[in-house]
Amino acid sequence: MYSRRPEKAKAAASLSHPNIVAVLDQGWNQGGVPCVFIVMELIEGSTLRDYLHEQGALSVERTLQILTPVASALAAAHKLGIVHRDIKPENILISKEGRIKIADFGLARGALLGSTMTAESSVILGSVSYLSPEQVQRGVADARSDVYSLGIVLFELLTGQKPFQGEDPVQIAIKHVNERVPKPSSINPTLSVDIDNLVLRATDINPDRRPKDCGELASELQIGRAHV
């Protein structure tokens, strides 16, 4: 991965967690276009998007098996003041051995990186189907924005579809701001009230009503696994 900002590489290198793709090296590209490079571990396997295409909607048990380590990894990033900002199935990897890894902290922002981004660039760079309302409206993100995005992924794994559909990205972005994510059980009637409540809390339009970070969300996912 290449970056023109050395602080991005330093922040990525500071993340050490078994469920985050490891940064093995970093430095300056001394030949050609000046930029900072980071060398990341090779994960042999597939993305969660590929897995979804193959499997369709997942069971509650399998969904929580996948997303609990993702939430744990994001919790470690949040403790360092780093927000991923681009959580989506394409950035969640499943190795051939079954290990779950988060990739691509390229949009990450935090105490080490600077905290804001324009709304326009956020919509362009982020994946609109997973953007939190505050990213769409104000171009800002904190740990609760990652909670929201992971809540959207949770909805998609349980139902096999995204909560909001539209003819173009702008329509979808507006829905994130103005509409509540529906109950997953409205699409998959086998899901429990507890699962509905977990998804609705994580994807609340008001960030103050969400879990404060992915550490808190990971605890709620662990409780969910205990009751499956």
Side-chain angles (χ1 to χ4, degrees):
M1 177 184 292
Y2 290 89
S3 172
R4 294 179 184 274
R5 297 179 61 186
E7 64 270 30
K8 280 189 178 183
K10 290 178 181 178
S14 72
L15 293 170
S16 178
H17 190 279
N19 300 109
I20 295 176
V21 175
V23 174
L24 305 177
D25 195 11
Q26 60 175 311
W28 278 96
N29 176 33
Q30 298 182 355
V33 179
C35 62
V36 174
F37 70 84
I38 58 177
V39 180
M40 308 182 78
E41 69 173 312
L42 173 65
I43 306 297
E44 295 187 5
S46 62
T47 68
L48 183 55
R49 173 67 65 211
D50 297 329
Y51 190 76
L52 264 173
H53 282 157
E54 293 174 1
Q55 303 291 328
L58 306 181
S59 68
V60 173
E61 181 177 13
R62 182 60 177 144
T63 295
L64 297 181
Q65 284 176 348
I66 292 172
L67 292 192
T68 299
V70 172
S72 176
L74 287 170
H78 293 167
K79 284 183 179 180
L80 292 174
I82 297 173
V83 180
H84 188 287
R85 297 178 62 101
D86 195 29
I87 293 298
K88 57 185 178 183
E90 289 81 357
N91 284 337
I92 298 171
L93 309 181
I94 305 176
S95 75
K96 290 182 178 179
E97 299 75 29
R99 184 176 292 279
I100 310 299
K101 295 265 191 176
I102 301 178
D104 196 359
F105 274 80
L107 292 182
R109 291 291 186 278
L112 298 176
L113 300 178
S115 60
T116 63
M117 206 177 172
T118 68
E120 182 180 9
S121 62
S122 178
V123 170
I124 292 171
L125 293 175
S127 297
V128 70
S129 292
Y130 305 90
L131 282 179
S132 67
E134 60 271 18
Q135 286 174 283
V136 174
Q137 285 184 302
R138 305 190 305 279
V140 298
D142 60 21
R144 298 167 299 177
S145 306
D146 281 349
V147 168
Y148 182 94
S149 298
L150 196 57
I152 298 294
V153 175
L154 176 60
F155 180 99
E156 187 173 6
L157 296 187
L158 293 169
T159 65
Q161 65 185 61
K162 299 169 186 174
F164 300 127
Q165 308 294 326
E167 295 182 1
D168 61 64
V170 173
Q171 287 184 352
I172 296 172
I174 290 171
K175 288 182 179 181
H176 279 285
V177 173
N178 295 323
E179 299 181 22
R180 289 299 311 270
V181 170
K183 294 179 180 179
S185 65
S186 66
I187 297 169
N188 182 351
T190 66
L191 298 173
S192 69
V193 172
D194 288 340
I195 291 296
D196 277 346
N197 290 339
L198 177 59
V199 172
L200 294 180
R201 184 163 128 75
T203 59
D204 200 296
I205 291 175
N206 183 347
D208 292 335
R209 290 203 213 53
R210 299 175 208 150
K212 66 181 180 180
D213 56 29
C214 279
E216 188 173 313
L217 180 60
S219 297
E220 295 189 15
L221 293 172
Q222 288 281 16
I223 293 171
R225 289 184 68 180
H227 288 87
V228 170

